[in-house]
Amino acid sequence: MQRLVFWLAYPLLWFISILPFKLFYMVSDVVYVLVYHVVRYRRKTVTSNLELVFPEKSSEEINKTRKKFYKHMVDMFLEMIKSISISNEELKKRFTFTNLEELQKIRKMNKSIILACGHYASYEWMNALQLYGLDYKGFGIYKKVKNRYFDKLAKDIRGRYDGVLISTSKATKTITENQEKGILGVYAMIADQSPKLSRTRAWANFMGIGVPVFTGTEKLSRSLDMAVVYLHVEKVKRGYYVATFKPLTCQPKQEPEYEITRQYFSLLEAQIKKAPEYYLWTHKRWKHRNASIPHDAVVIKPD
């Protein structure tokens, strides 16, 4: 059944991917109408999240932000499909980096990098980083797709740019082995998901609300002496993104405990407040906000 679903869907995905961008975004406009007005995909969740973190906004402002978000979300989903056929030249033109020298400085230290990302703007086209001739192997940490054929497609797309996807279940083991082998890598990690309550002992104030948070980025960087860099992505206009590297630390073992995690959420929160329509509001990020904080948990205080 998985194969049948894939082979029924793939021709349509491929056709969409080869459309000229003008037609491509016309398709996105149509899909937006279906997703937002007809299917109403997770609209209650999105509305609830926006009202929760922006209590000062009026219903009109919330609705305006919600519509902008859905338009962006559909664009980003289709841009992932566009990755099937987009040329290297076009990708570099549409996803640019302002300060690659920051990574080159870290490379001279002979250190691998954890690229701390958020569900913000575009994280689908960051493959463009592999097109700039950096002396690093590129890796993306991701949640495995249930359909193994679509999972393979996702890996093949990254493979076009000499990138490798590592499932979350194998991330720590693979990164540790690479470090032991002397393989220098840039590991892109999205770390703003909501962890399971049974697996977290750290809480932070994110968008004004106390929630459990992942600290894997910090733990890995400390144990393996890896630099941590925040990827600040901005959407400058439809289909165009600019990314800036913001180093958090090159000496993680010298940082106060949980300082890396605190900085990460502080930078992500600032982006969300500036342009909230580019954050992924469909996730139930604050679902554990009313849970009791365990007595042995650490509460990471903001600035």
Side-chain angles (χ1 to χ4, degrees), residues 15-246:
F15 175 74
I16 292 173
S17 79
I18 64 172
L19 289 174
F21 273 97
K22 185 175 181 179
L23 290 176
F24 176 81
Y25 284 114
M26 287 175 66
V27 171
S28 183
D29 290 338
V30 172
V31 175
Y32 158 73
V33 172
L34 294 174
V35 170
Y36 185 78
H37 292 286
V38 180
V39 179
R40 298 172 68 89
Y41 174 71
R42 295 196 178 185
R43 271 184 57 166
K44 288 184 179 180
T45 298
V46 172
T47 303
S48 176
N49 283 340
L50 287 171
E51 290 176 343
L52 180 67
V53 301
F54 297 115
E56 74 284 0
K57 291 185 180 292
S58 66
S59 296
E60 183 179 351
E61 290 174 311
I62 293 293
N63 290 339
K64 185 177 180 180
T65 300
R66 187 178 63 191
K67 287 182 179 180
K68 286 182 177 179
F69 158 69
Y70 273 94
K71 289 180 180 179
H72 165 71
M73 182 189 73
V74 173
D75 275 359
M76 189 176 65
F77 173 75
L78 290 182
E79 285 165 1
M80 176 179 63
I81 295 172
K82 190 70 174 175
S83 298
I84 294 173
S85 63
I86 192 171
S87 69
N88 292 355
E89 294 74 19
E90 189 68 37
L91 183 59
K92 286 180 69 175
K93 184 172 70 174
R94 290 176 173 272
F95 198 106
T96 59
F97 299 88
T98 65
N99 58 342
L100 286 166
E101 65 274 8
E102 292 295 339
L103 299 194
Q104 293 166 342
K105 290 177 185 177
I106 298 172
R107 177 62 183 83
K108 291 179 181 178
M109 300 178 190
N110 203 39
K111 288 193 173 189
S112 290
I113 299 170
I114 295 179
L115 197 60
C117 312
H119 284 98
Y120 190 87
S122 175
Y123 39 89
E124 293 298 340
W125 280 353
M126 69 172 70
N127 294 315
L129 181 61
Q130 294 300 110
L131 303 176
Y132 285 85
L134 294 174
D135 190 17
Y136 275 111
K137 183 73 175 177
F139 299 89
I141 311 304
Y142 83 117
K143 187 175 181 179
K144 193 172 182 178
V145 181
K146 291 182 179 179
N147 186 307
R148 66 178 183 273
Y149 297 97
F150 282 107
D151 190 71
K152 182 179 183 300
L153 176 62
K155 291 179 179 178
D156 289 344
I157 289 173
R158 268 63 177 186
R160 288 184 56 204
Y161 310 100
D162 198 30
V164 177
L165 286 182
I166 307 171
S167 66
T168 52
S169 62
K170 297 180 180 179
T172 300
K173 181 176 183 292
T174 303
I175 296 172
T176 301
E177 290 176 349
N178 286 346
Q179 289 291 97
E180 291 173 349
K181 294 175 183 177
I183 299 173
L184 292 180
V186 175
Y187 298 89
M189 295 185 181
I190 297 178
D192 57 341
Q193 303 96 327
S194 181
K196 292 183 178 180
L197 283 175
S198 60
R199 296 183 182 180
T200 183
R201 286 296 178 268
W203 290 65
N205 190 293
F206 181 42
M207 296 298 293
I209 301 160
V211 289
V213 295
F214 279 114
T215 57
T217 294
E218 178 160 346
K219 290 177 180 177
L220 266 177
S221 66
R222 286 179 180 278
S223 64
L224 300 176
D225 195 29
M226 302 168 71
V228 183
V229 177
Y230 178 76
L231 186 65
H232 179 104
V233 183
E234 293 182 280
K235 187 173 185 175
V236 293
K237 62 180 180 179
R238 195 175 199 183
Y240 289 87
Y241 304 87
V242 174
T244 301
F245 299 107
K246 295 192 174 185

